[in-house]
Amino acid sequence: MESISWSDWKKAIGTNNYMKNPTIPTYLYVVSQDTMTPSERTMIATLQGVVNSQSTLQIYTLNSKQPDYQIWLEDLKNRYRISYELITNPWYLLDIFKDYINGYVLYNNKSLKDPSINNACSLAALNNCIAIDESIQDKASRIYGIKKIIGDTRGTDEKWGYDNLWNSGLNHSIIIELSPGKASALRDYAIMTKSLVFYEDNITDTTLRDRIFSSMEKDSICLGWGPDEFINVSTTSKYGISMIAADWSYNLTVLSAFPSIPLTQKTSISNLNKKNAHYVTFIMSDGDNQQWNLGTNYGSHKWYGSPDKGKFNLGWSLSPSLYYLAPTVFNLYYESAAHGLTNDYFVVPPSGNGYMYPSKFNKNTLGKYINRLNDYMKKVDEEYVAIIDDSSFYNNDLWDEFTEKHNINGLFYLDYHKHDDYHGKIIWSNNKPIVSCRDLLWDNIESEVDLISNINNRVDLGQVDISNANSYTFVYVHAWSKSLRNIERVVDKLKKNSKVIVVTPKTFMELIKKNVKPNS
């Protein structure tokens, strides 16, 4: 069977960075990865990528390490009337859908660092076929009749996919950076979008990444992750590419099929104007992490599913990729946000459409990136962007490019090397505040006791004048070492100080804009 080309697909979906599945499912065959071997997981993920864009009968996978995918499945059933059945034997799916595939590409994944699995997926994407490890070749061929070998990537190196396939029809606006040790994550989406799958297993040598990123269309995306955060994101930024932490993401071929519609936040407006107070806002980290928001955040009692959610005002962020690649998930986050006397409020995660460092981002591409960001923020009713950058807080010319946009009303600045390096300083850009992080609720950096003491000491020092920039504290909460219970303990203690008021990021910024004079 022939599938739509990636260039035609891109024309069909418009100007956003992401390719969505054009076929909405009507029925799902659901299979657990927990009972599969790694080779079977790769086989099913690549089959999923071929089938799901062509058939309304689609494949959906579950795994115990990413429990929230069960929540999204039940949501599809209950709100979108998508029926499903559980399949215990993954080979049954190959039997059902074998007429959709043109054959298979052979690879060897005995070593979890062997790049042949990535090269096999790249070649399979071009040929509407699946990737088969040599350990299951005989079973696929002899028992299930998948006999046609499209290619053999065994013995190929990490450069092979780019050297041999890049100009043979692969997508130049999306690439997948994925360790060969990850058998199934993202591979369905890679097949569907005809994307290069690669991994350069070297922290400092970026030769291959330089070649790939420089060959991509500008303001494109890299889904996955690299061997070092700072070097990888610096490298993508240099070429005008943004990074989406997505290397444990699943089922994007199913979830992306649903429409991305304009949304409105439920946050109630707080008209606070207490003159003699110290205002504090908390923002939870890692909203740029697509896989966390898809896999564990929503249902976890530590984070978004915590019984403490809604007891205090709190800032969250969601990767914009979810709005396009998993809109039913994005909608559920918005619908379940706390609102009323206390509110959940969403800001855009670092550093906009995807993770990048604005000061290192390709200057000829930055304007296009910011225009997309501005349009996105209107669609999802978000006004503020969290920024991670490298010692660039005082770069007003850079921030002016963001704040000149109508839908971007301020920035929360975090320095990469230590997020609170600028100690809560506030600068102004086009009469909009750029607020640096003042405190970190983070294991081995700043404990609950330390944070409470620091804020109360500011009150004791007289930092309680609503017109004084020192009377505002932006706290960034490290998701991996702290939970909502930790924040609740801090807020509970701060309530004992009548001059401390905890507000949402929106109220925090509005108070600053209304009461603090620029450059005061």
Side-chain angles (χ1 to χ4, degrees), residues 382-402:
E382 294 179 13
E383 298 180 49
Y384 304 100
V385 185
I387 297 287
I388 293 180
D389 211 333
D390 183 19
S391 304
S392 298
F393 178 64
Y394 291 109
N395 189 345
N396 281 78
D397 290 341
L398 177 60
W399 309 133
D400 284 350
E401 296 194 52
F402 285 83

Side-chain angles (χ1 to χ4, degrees), residues 444-509:
N444 301 317
I445 295 179
E446 190 172 0
S447 69
E448 290 92 323
V449 172
D450 293 334
L451 177 57
I452 294 163
S453 176
N454 289 338
I455 293 173
N456 284 331
N457 285 341
R458 289 166 197 154
V459 173
D460 293 340
L461 290 171
Q463 296 177 8
V464 291
D465 179 354
I466 198 172
S467 65
N468 186 336
N470 290 321
S471 299
Y472 298 86
T473 292
F474 155 36
V475 183
Y476 205 54
V477 183
H478 185 231
W480 306 121
S481 65
K482 297 296 178 182
S483 67
L484 265 66
R485 178 54 51 91
N486 299 111
I487 306 172
E488 196 275 336
R489 289 170 183 159
V490 173
V491 173
D492 190 56
K493 295 292 185 182
L494 290 176
K495 286 179 181 177
K496 296 178 180 179
N497 190 329
S498 62
K499 293 184 178 180
V500 175
I501 302 177
V502 176
V503 297
T504 64
K506 177 179 174 67
T507 299
F508 184 82
M509 286 296 213

Side-chain angles (χ1 to χ4, degrees), residues 219-441:
D219 190 28
S220 293
I221 58 170
C222 175
L223 287 162
W225 202 241
D228 177 83
E229 178 178 341
F230 185 73
I231 291 176
N232 211 69
V233 177
S234 294
T235 306
T236 56
S237 295
K238 178 169 64 173
Y239 297 106
I241 310 299
S242 54
M243 191 83 202
I244 310 295
D247 54 325
W248 291 108
S249 298
Y250 301 91
N251 297 309
L252 296 184
T253 50
V254 173
L255 296 172
S256 67
F258 295 85
S260 303
I261 60 175
L263 298 171
T264 302
Q265 296 208 50
K266 289 186 173 182
T267 305
S268 301
I269 297 174
S270 299
N271 295 314
L272 293 172
N273 207 24
K274 185 176 180 181
K275 303 292 185 183
N276 189 26
H278 189 98
Y279 290 96
V280 179
T281 196
F282 293 87
I283 298 178
M284 181 65 76
S285 79
D286 283 81
D288 62 303
N289 191 321
Q290 174 184 284
Q291 60 207 15
W292 178 57
N293 282 316
L294 280 173
T296 55
N297 176 34
Y298 186 89
S300 172
H301 281 200
K302 292 174 62 179
W303 303 307
Y304 203 80
S306 169
D308 293 308
K309 189 170 81 73
K311 292 182 179 178
F312 47 87
N313 290 309
L314 180 60
W316 299 87
S317 57
L318 290 171
S319 173
S321 63
L322 289 180
Y323 179 72
Y324 300 103
L325 299 183
T328 61
V329 173
F330 198 101
N331 295 353
L332 211 52
Y333 271 100
Y334 264 42
E335 288 180 4
S336 56
H339 64 286
L341 295 177
T342 56
N343 298 273
D344 293 318
Y345 184 76
F346 294 100
V347 301
V348 183
S351 289
N353 304 322
Y355 186 11
M356 47 77 94
Y357 304 133
S359 66
K360 300 179 184 295
F361 203 74
N362 182 279
K363 289 181 172 53
N364 295 324
T365 309
L366 185 60
K368 185 177 182 181
Y369 177 93
I370 295 172
N371 284 336
R372 288 187 192 273
L373 172 61
N374 184 60
D375 291 342
Y376 163 79
M377 292 174 70
K378 181 178 181 180
K379 291 174 182 174
V380 298
D381 187 29
E382 294 179 13
E383 298 180 49
Y384 304 100
V385 185
I387 297 287
I388 293 180
D389 211 333
D390 183 19
S391 304
S392 298
F393 178 64
Y394 291 109
N395 189 345
N396 281 78
D397 290 341
L398 177 60
W399 309 133
D400 284 350
E401 296 194 52
F402 285 83
T403 57
E404 71 177 4
K405 301 301 178 183
H406 179 73
N407 298 312
I408 304 176
N409 289 324
L411 306 175
F412 287 96
Y413 183 88
L414 304 149
D415 202 62
Y416 176 82
H417 300 286
K418 191 168 181 289
H419 288 337
D420 62 347
D421 267 352
Y422 291 89
H423 313 295
K425 293 289 185 183
I426 299 174
I427 60 173
W428 296 81
S429 169
N430 291 314
N431 291 315
K432 297 175 182 179
I434 317 298
V435 182
S436 66
C437 177
R438 195 168 188 179
D439 288 279
L440 295 169
L441 185 54

Side-chain angles (χ1 to χ4, degrees), residues 13 51 64 92-93 127 139 171 176 179 351 376 389 408 416 421 435 503 515:
I13 63 171
V51 169
S64 58
Y92 175 65
L93 295 174
N127 291 279
K139 185 174 182 178
N171 188 340
I176 309 296
S179 168
S351 289
Y376 163 79
D389 211 333
I408 304 176
Y416 176 82
D421 267 352
V435 182
V503 297
N515 297 288

